Amino acid sequence: MMKNLIFLGPPGAGKGTIADIVCSEHGFRHVSTGDILRQEISNRSELGLRAKADIDAGKLVPDEVVIMMVQEKISPDVPGVVLDGFPRTVNQARLLEQCLNDNGLGLDAAVLFDAGTDVIVKRLTSRLVCESCGAVYNLYTNLPQADYKCDKCGGGLVQRSDDNENTVKDRLRVYKEKTAPLIDFYDKQGLLIRVDAEGYPEDNYARLRKALKL
Ligand code: AMP
């Protein structure tokens, strides 16, 4: 079975939502560098305070910061891992390869979640997240049961500071320039799997399961 997976794709492609489902069904570890960074910011740690300016500007946090966070999470003791939003540069991909090798692990697939710009911008600018547990909602397609309260933990729902239209445009530009080259990088290694991610999460998950034989 495929178990060490990279989820690749533009912001708003639904990587985090599908990673949550895969990990809860298969007991894999969900490693989202974005979630870890947001946690650091809310803990007001030194790392978080340093990363905040880059995140709010839609820029990437330096490679050496994110690889350190990922290294702590990679271990041969878990049944599998989904790396969500990491790697985001070719340099990060090389550092990851080294880190997996050091742990006697390898990569099984890099899944590209494919969605067009219009769909992505609409999804991101209408996304709401729980301040307490990070659960993700959407103003059009996935409203919580109570007004602006998380179904899972009752926390307040807010818009991410980087989900406004201007920052979204910057994030998409950064994706094209720095992250999209990874598509070719993993394709050449025979690891790339493309999944159409424009529809509803359950349909996208069904396509992913079929592609990965999960
Ligand atoms: P995400 O939640 O994946 O959309 O990430 C939110 C923000 O965190 C990004 O726009 C970056 O500023 C930062 N970030 C997350 N993952 C990485 C990464 N692998 N490399 C550099 N910056 C990252």
Side-chain angles (χ1 to χ4, degrees):
M1 186 169 67
M2 305 252 192
K3 49 195 178 42
N4 294 323
L5 307 170
I6 287 174
F7 279 12
L8 196 65
K15 303 182 294 293
T17 302
I18 306 292
D20 269 341
I21 305 176
V22 171
C23 291
S24 69
E25 293 211 343
H26 297 278
F28 294 173
R29 181 176 283 175
H30 182 181
V31 178
S32 156
T33 41
D35 283 349
I36 300 171
L37 287 164
R38 279 183 289 279
Q39 191 60 53
E40 295 282 346
I41 291 173
S42 84
N43 293 346
R44 302 185 152 275
S45 71
E46 202 186 316
L47 190 157
L49 294 176
R50 266 193 286 139
K52 189 173 175 0
D54 282 336
I55 294 176
D56 284 346
K59 292 187 189 155
L60 294 184
V61 169
D63 290 346
E64 53 282 8
V65 173
V66 279
I67 185 67
M68 256 171 45
M69 298 175 345
V70 171
Q71 265 164 348
E72 283 177 14
K73 305 278 180 186
I74 300 286
S75 124
D77 303 334
V78 290
V81 65
V82 175
L83 296 166
D84 158 16
F86 177 92
R88 259 172 155 100
T89 63
V90 171
N91 183 43
Q92 288 180 18
R94 297 215 167 95
L95 294 168
L96 171 66
E97 206 177 328
Q98 184 63 51
C99 171
L100 287 170
N101 279 345
D102 292 346
N103 283 277
L105 299 168
L107 204 58
D108 294 290
V111 182
L112 174 65
F113 289 77
D114 238 344
T117 309
D118 291 353
V119 173
I120 284 168
V121 172
K122 189 166 178 207
R123 262 191 207 155
L124 290 175
T125 52
S126 57
R127 171 160 75 177
L128 295 171
V129 295
C130 173
E131 293 182 292
S132 309
C133 74
V136 178
Y137 297 85
N138 186 284
L139 277 173
Y140 300 110
T141 54
N142 180 22
L143 272 172
Q145 286 177 351
D147 247 10
Y148 289 85
K149 289 271 172 275
C150 177
D151 290 340
K152 294 180 184 151
C153 76
L157 302 188
V158 292
Q159 187 178 49
R160 265 172 53 172
S161 57
D162 58 347
D163 274 348
N164 63 78
E165 201 160 339
N166 274 340
T167 312
V168 163
K169 284 192 181 137
D170 290 332
R171 287 159 66 199
L172 287 172
R173 213 173 298 131
V174 169
Y175 172 77
K176 262 200 186 137
E177 188 189 320
K178 305 249 168 77
T179 309
L182 288 175
I183 299 171
D184 221 33
F185 180 87
Y186 286 119
D187 202 14
K188 284 198 175 120
Q189 296 181 36
L191 289 171
L192 192 77
I193 292 178
R194 286 175 191 266
V195 172
D196 173 0
E198 290 216 336
Y200 288 105
E202 50 275 29
D203 299 331
N204 300 339
Y205 176 55
R207 280 192 279 270
L208 174 76
R209 277 188 64 182
K210 205 165 157 205
L212 290 181
K213 302 179 181 73
L214 278 175

